[in-house]
Amino acid sequence: MLADYAVRVEQSRGRRYSEPQHPYRNDFQRDRDRVIHARAFRRLEAKTQVFTRRYCDHFRNRLTHTLEVAQIARTVALQLGLNADLVEALALVHDVGHPPFGHVGEKTLDAAMRERGFRFNHNLHALRIVEDFELRYAAFRGLNLTFEVREGIIKHSADYSSRDFPELAEYLLDSRPPLEAQLIDLADEIAYTAADLDDGYEARLLDCGDIRAGIPIFARSYEEAEKAWPAAVDKLKFNEALRRMLDCFVGDLIRQSQANIKRAAINSLEDVRTHSRRLLGFSPEMESHRRQAKAFLYERLYSSSALESEKREGERVIRELFEFWMERPEALPQGYQEKAAAEALPRVVCDYIAGMTDNYIYQQYERYCSAKCAKLK
């Protein structure tokens, strides 16, 4: 039932290390399962999405967010005739490169790396994880994922040039990613927009009236919910409105993407790769709604003074630990000390910190920085 422009597993470019075919799972299904069983995937359960576990344990973490992205992405993929097995694998792996403390953790690590002539990008770090850090097989390092999953890890949300990233040249940087990869970033946006509004409302950092005033598509959905359920309590009206809004985004994405594909006369994967732009997206009206929702969340939630202290704390913990291990590499675990003999120390320290959960990095901070970082200063 795949569309002509979908990725076909039997035409995969294969794995870095040859393996025999599995008797009842195709290669993309095996990739999905390898991601699920990876340590980096399990660690997402203890990594911040927006609210840290210390704020409340009811809210999304990086793992539950990932599952919501996978659910939305599969729904859209099936409607567009895309390869749902590849889409699911990409959705489940798309955030494994995130460090502790959410986006503030990524920004802090990147700043620390840039001061030393390097950089940190969670997509590129995810590729390092699946290629090198995961140790589950005797025959090879990493997870030995198919080319299509590895390509999607780095290209689902950004385009890279072979001039700036020569180390990624094998991933067809001058070509568009398949539609299966293009879908992930859009499903991600839909998922976190709805989820962050939900968690912000539950945390009483966002008021329903303010949301209705700042996000017209939610206001329209809320009016529909009130008409359908006039006697329902406010929270259930909110839930109904959020569900309707999410459905509007998903439905629009499906319809507009179908129209884009038809208008561009896309009949093959090669047509997708050589097209002048990405083909999946929202209608102009829904894109405006998406931007309004995103701007509202940045202003009212992500930049909220109520979250500021935790953001500053996360920045301090990462920066001080980074500086400590740069000054005292002998305090790194033995495996990372050995890596530092072959790789630049900033990269090794960054890799170690990026893999930590929120809980573990606090343990390391208490162990090394409570007194020792003060001595370094």
Side-chain angles (χ1 to χ4, degrees):
M1 299 298 293
L2 293 181
D4 292 340
Y5 45 73
V7 176
R8 281 165 168 72
V9 68
E10 63 271 16
Q11 296 175 2
S12 168
R13 292 171 182 257
R15 305 182 184 280
R16 197 172 295 284
Y17 305 100
S18 179
E19 296 183 54
Q21 290 295 312
H22 194 273
Y24 52 83
R25 289 180 300 160
N26 69 50
D27 281 348
F28 295 154
Q29 291 170 343
R30 294 178 75 185
D31 284 354
R32 173 203 60 203
D33 297 346
R34 291 180 182 195
V35 170
I36 289 173
H37 288 282
R39 294 177 69 184
F41 182 77
R42 295 197 297 274
R43 286 198 298 268
L44 294 176
E45 189 272 337
K47 291 192 177 188
T48 296
Q49 178 64 17
V50 173
F51 297 94
T52 66
R53 179 64 59 86
R54 297 195 302 170
Y55 195 95
C56 178
D57 61 5
H58 291 170
F59 301 140
R60 273 83 171 177
N61 55 50
R62 189 65 67 176
L63 178 58
T64 57
H65 162 71
T66 294
L67 296 177
E68 291 178 349
V69 173
Q71 174 259 322
I72 292 170
R74 276 189 62 89
T75 297
V76 178
L78 292 170
Q79 293 301 309
L80 296 181
L82 303 181
N83 192 312
D85 292 330
L86 175 56
V87 164
E88 186 172 31
L90 288 172
L92 292 174
V93 79
H94 88 282
D95 264 0
V96 298
H98 268 290
F101 306 135
H103 289 291
V104 70
E106 180 170 12
K107 290 179 181 178
T108 305
L109 267 185
D110 186 49
M113 289 290 280
R114 287 180 183 273
E115 290 171 5
R116 295 163 174 87
F118 299 88
R119 56 194 163 197
F120 175 78
N121 174 288
H122 78 268
N123 290 328
L124 302 187
H125 184 67
L127 185 64
R128 289 167 62 81
I129 288 172
V130 302
E131 285 277 79
D132 185 43
F133 300 161
E134 288 288 331
L135 298 176
R136 297 188 59 84
Y137 303 95
F140 44 77
R141 293 184 68 88
L143 300 181
N144 197 29
L145 302 179
T146 57
F147 172 89
E148 289 75 16
V149 173
R150 288 182 282 121
E151 179 193 20
I153 287 172
I154 61 169
K155 292 170 67 175
H156 72 270
S157 61
D159 296 320
Y160 298 88
S161 72
S162 54
R163 181 192 62 209
D164 296 333
F165 295 88
E167 70 275 18
L168 301 177
E170 68 177 293
Y171 294 111
L172 310 176
L173 298 187
D174 295 329
S175 300
R176 299 294 177 196
L179 298 181
E180 286 82 355
Q182 294 183 31
L183 172 57
I184 302 306
D185 194 47
L186 296 160
D188 187 28
E189 287 238 8
I190 293 172
Y192 75 65
T193 296
D196 294 350
L197 286 172
D198 191 20
D199 287 349
Y201 178 77
E202 284 281 349
R204 299 186 178 182
L205 297 182
L206 297 178
D207 176 78
C208 186
D210 291 339
I211 298 173
R212 294 170 68 180
I215 306 178
I217 190 172
F218 179 86
R220 186 176 70 198
S221 298
Y222 195 89
E223 290 173 5
E224 294 173 359
E226 277 194 314
K227 289 179 181 178
W229 305 99
V233 298
D234 290 345
K235 172 55 180 169
L236 294 182
K237 290 179 183 177
F238 178 89
N239 291 351
E240 288 292 329
L242 202 62
R243 182 173 63 83
R244 283 169 163 78
M245 186 190 77
L246 190 153
D247 192 56
C248 285
F249 276 116
V250 172
D252 182 87
L253 175 59
I254 292 168
R255 291 187 295 274
Q256 186 62 41
S257 297
Q258 289 171 333
N260 292 347
I261 292 166
K262 183 177 181 180
R263 186 181 305 113
I266 301 299
N267 294 305
S268 67
L269 176 57
E270 186 62 22
D271 289 344
V272 174
R273 288 193 174 280
T274 58
H275 196 64
S276 60
R277 59 181 177 83
R278 295 186 177 223
L279 287 155
L280 302 194
F282 301 108
S283 66
E285 178 186 4
M286 196 58 65
E287 175 63 17
S288 176
H289 287 308
R290 184 198 67 81
R291 292 176 182 272
Q292 289 171 326
K294 191 169 187 175
F296 178 89
L297 283 166
Y298 268 97
E299 179 183 351
R300 299 298 185 92
L301 183 61
Y302 307 147
S303 302
S304 167
S305 59
L307 300 180
E308 190 61 32
S309 62
E310 289 204 338
K311 288 165 62 176
R312 288 199 304 269
E313 183 179 86
E315 291 173 0
R316 185 185 73 251
V317 167
I318 288 177
R319 183 166 287 280
E320 290 187 9
L321 275 173
F322 199 107
E323 292 172 356
F324 173 76
W325 280 312
M326 288 298 298
E327 293 285 339
R328 305 279 181 84
E330 69 276 8
L332 287 165
Q334 185 62 37
Y336 284 90
Q337 291 184 45
E338 294 170 0
K339 287 172 67 73
E343 297 184 55
L345 181 59
R347 178 60 64 193
V348 174
V349 172
C350 180
D351 287 344
Y352 185 39
I353 292 175
M356 295 180 181
T357 63
D358 294 14
N359 297 333
Y360 186 71
I361 198 171
Y362 276 124
Q363 293 174 13
Q364 296 302 291
Y365 185 81
E366 289 299 318
R367 178 180 180 183
Y368 292 113
C369 285
S370 292
K372 296 179 182 179
C373 278
K375 291 181 181 178
L376 286 176
K377 297 175 182 177

